[in-house]
Amino acid sequence: MTQAPAATRATRRQHDREIVMLAVPAFGALVAEPLFVMADSAIVGHLGTAQLAGLGVASALLTTAVSIFVFLAYATTAAVARRVGAGDLQAAIRQGMDGIWLALLIGATVIAVVLPSAPSLIDLFGASDTAAPYATTYLRISSLGIPAMLIVLAATGVLRGLQNTKTPLYVAISGFVANAVLNVVLVYGADLGIAGSAWGTVIAQWGMAAVYLVVVVRGARHHGASLAPDAAGIRASAQAGAPLLVRTLSLRAILLIATAVAARLGDADIAAHQIILSLWSLLAFALDAIAIAGQAIIGRYLGADDPQGARAACRRMVQWGIAVGVVLGLLVILSRPLFLPLFTSDPTVKDTALPALIMVALSQPICGVVFVLDGVLMGAGDGPYLAGAMLVTLAVFVPAALLVPTFGGGLTAVWAAMTLMMAVRMLTLLLRARSGRWVVTGATR
């Protein structure tokens, strides 16, 4: 009678060790990424307001251009992890190379679009006449680093699939340090202004991509995997990523709509919204780290034809998601007197943000479940379901958000709509998880 509970405890400890081993370095790498933009902003900000405004517009465009292709990491992680579970490391790395070649092709296409259209894109975002030239300069130069950023995404997916999240952490930290040093040297030492900041970032990004390529190429040679582009493999990677692209675009649309609605409510509301959104994004990094662990672990179990292990790992990760969500929610509530003054001294903005901030805190356990199950289903290669579920969520969120200015409630109502959005996502993901239809074993789905 005591053996089963003991075995259960041992299994849970094993899952806990795996989750911590993968999630903690993944969190560090996720946090390091936005530090690139923060470093650029801190350095360029001393050049002048127009330069900083130009950087803000160009960075928003670049971030959007890269973030919509995050499926390069997600889909690659799942596919590589399955082959690792099946014991075929050669095929795993070959799959990863297909993802890297796809990243390079997409990156070249994006450059071809951005370079000639940079002034029009900047105008579309409403940059002022004084900021537009700086934004255009930064966007054109920085676009040369987009292939590198996409290679980093795909190669990160390869290493995550190989159950390695430490190397991406080391590369991210090194890239941040190199970016900061290069920015200072080129902006001030070489007196290149905002162009120096852009070139510093591009050099750092290609440096990171080179490190990843060295690691992946060594692995490919060690296991006898081909490095040449394979049309069928690249096409398969694109097909696996297409549903995740739909999912990501839907989520981006939700965030843009929420910001647009908050902007219509007034200056205090949009200012408070930006503060809360920055916090929400930081909290998301912590939960996304568990989701990344989920992608790697679930893919490995399914590749190893171990559906029972996959289900047990899923249950344990959901428990982790809820627990971390509760802790994050409590931290938000307890730290709100210290957090808000960091961003504003305006009492109106503080008063507007406070009830919405509490809404965010209360929603964190829901977010924990959503992020974890999102990662589980990605690891299972269940992209088509995730795309459909996200479209349903978008359809529910849009009318709820657009009715806020009509029915009132201010920014708190906007974040109530965001909480509704997360609740709908949780419902759709729980239904899928409990159905068991995501449990498809084998080296490929």
Side-chain angles (χ1 to χ4, degrees), residues 221-320:
R221 288 176 175 170
H222 179 72
H223 294 287
S226 172
L227 298 173
D230 177 67
I234 294 172
R235 187 164 52 250
S237 294
Q239 290 172 347
L244 297 180
L245 176 61
V246 173
R247 167 203 168 274
T248 301
L249 289 173
S250 299
L251 183 56
R252 295 291 300 184
I254 286 171
L255 297 176
L256 287 172
I257 290 169
T259 300
V261 171
R264 292 183 61 187
L265 299 177
D267 289 347
D269 291 270
I270 186 60
H273 176 73
Q274 288 302 114
I275 293 171
I276 294 172
L277 189 60
S278 67
L279 175 63
W280 192 79
S281 299
L282 178 62
L283 298 174
F285 285 140
L287 297 172
D288 203 26
I290 305 174
I292 288 169
Q295 294 169 30
I297 293 170
I298 294 298
R300 193 190 72 229
Y301 273 117
L302 294 177
D305 290 319
D306 187 357
Q308 183 177 353
R311 290 190 180 94
C314 175
R315 286 193 297 270
R316 190 57 178 165
M317 281 183 282
V318 168
Q319 293 169 356
W320 267 80

Side-chain angles (χ1 to χ4, degrees), residues 69-315:
F69 298 116
V70 72
F71 70 83
L72 288 166
Y74 294 159
T76 304
T77 298
V80 171
R82 274 183 174 269
R83 287 161 176 79
V84 169
D88 192 348
L89 290 178
Q90 183 185 70
I93 295 177
R94 174 65 259 181
Q95 180 70 43
M97 286 304 306
D98 292 334
I100 290 173
W101 279 111
L102 176 62
L104 190 58
L105 290 173
I106 293 173
T109 303
V110 174
I111 286 180
V113 172
V114 171
L115 278 179
S117 62
S120 300
L121 291 171
I122 295 300
D123 289 341
L124 185 64
F125 266 61
S128 67
D129 292 340
T130 54
Y134 297 111
T136 301
T137 297
Y138 190 91
L139 180 60
R140 278 182 165 157
I141 296 173
S142 293
S143 68
L144 301 177
I146 288 177
M149 288 187 276
L150 298 185
I151 289 171
V152 166
L153 283 177
T156 299
V158 176
L159 295 182
R160 288 173 181 170
L162 294 171
Q163 318 295 297
N164 176 2
T165 57
K166 289 184 179 179
T167 299
L169 172 61
Y170 300 148
V171 175
I173 293 173
S174 300
F176 166 70
V177 173
N179 176 66
V181 172
L182 286 166
N183 267 256
V184 171
V185 171
L186 295 176
V187 172
Y188 298 113
D191 198 25
L192 295 178
I194 195 169
S197 176
W199 280 117
T201 301
V202 168
I203 294 169
Q205 288 162 345
W206 275 107
M208 292 170 65
V211 172
Y212 274 116
L213 288 175
V214 168
V215 172
V216 175
V217 168
R218 282 179 178 173
R221 288 176 175 170
H222 179 72
H223 294 287
S226 172
L227 298 173
D230 177 67
I234 294 172
R235 187 164 52 250
S237 294
Q239 290 172 347
L244 297 180
L245 176 61
V246 173
R247 167 203 168 274
T248 301
L249 289 173
S250 299
L251 183 56
R252 295 291 300 184
I254 286 171
L255 297 176
L256 287 172
I257 290 169
T259 300
V261 171
R264 292 183 61 187
L265 299 177
D267 289 347
D269 291 270
I270 186 60
H273 176 73
Q274 288 302 114
I275 293 171
I276 294 172
L277 189 60
S278 67
L279 175 63
W280 192 79
S281 299
L282 178 62
L283 298 174
F285 285 140
L287 297 172
D288 203 26
I290 305 174
I292 288 169
Q295 294 169 30
I297 293 170
I298 294 298
R300 193 190 72 229
Y301 273 117
L302 294 177
D305 290 319
D306 187 357
Q308 183 177 353
R311 290 190 180 94
C314 175
R315 286 193 297 270

Side-chain angles (χ1 to χ4, degrees), residues 82 298 302 307-308 310-311 314-315 373 376-377 380 382 385 428-441 445:
R82 274 183 174 269
I298 294 298
L302 294 177
Q308 183 177 353
R311 290 190 180 94
C314 175
R315 286 193 297 270
L373 290 181
V376 166
L377 296 185
D382 206 12
Y385 181 84
T428 59
L429 295 174
L430 281 173
L431 288 173
R432 186 64 167 181
R434 290 179 177 177
S435 74
R437 294 178 182 174
W438 58 277
V439 184
V440 180
T441 59
R445 183 177 172 86

Side-chain angles (χ1 to χ4, degrees), residues 370-410:
V370 168
F371 275 82
V372 166
L373 290 181
D374 209 37
V376 166
L377 296 185
M378 283 183 190
D382 206 12
Y385 181 84
L386 289 172
M390 204 65 223
L391 289 173
V392 170
T393 303
L394 178 63
V396 173
F397 173 79
V398 170
L402 295 181
L403 287 173
V404 168
T406 302
F407 289 96

Side-chain angles (χ1 to χ4, degrees), residues 3-81:
Q3 290 181 352
T8 300
R9 287 194 298 272
T11 301
R12 286 179 177 176
R13 284 195 297 270
Q14 177 188 347
H15 289 150
D16 291 344
R17 283 194 298 269
E18 287 187 327
I19 292 168
V20 171
M21 181 182 69
L22 293 172
V24 172
F27 175 69
L30 288 170
V31 171
E33 291 172 7
L35 293 179
F36 266 74
V37 177
M38 291 179 64
D40 288 1
S41 298
I43 294 166
V44 171
H46 292 286
L47 295 174
T49 302
Q51 288 91 332
L52 184 58
L55 172 66
V57 174
S59 294
L61 282 164
L62 287 166
T63 301
T64 300
V66 174
S67 64
I68 62 176
F69 298 116
V70 72
F71 70 83
L72 288 166
Y74 294 159
T76 304
T77 298
V80 171

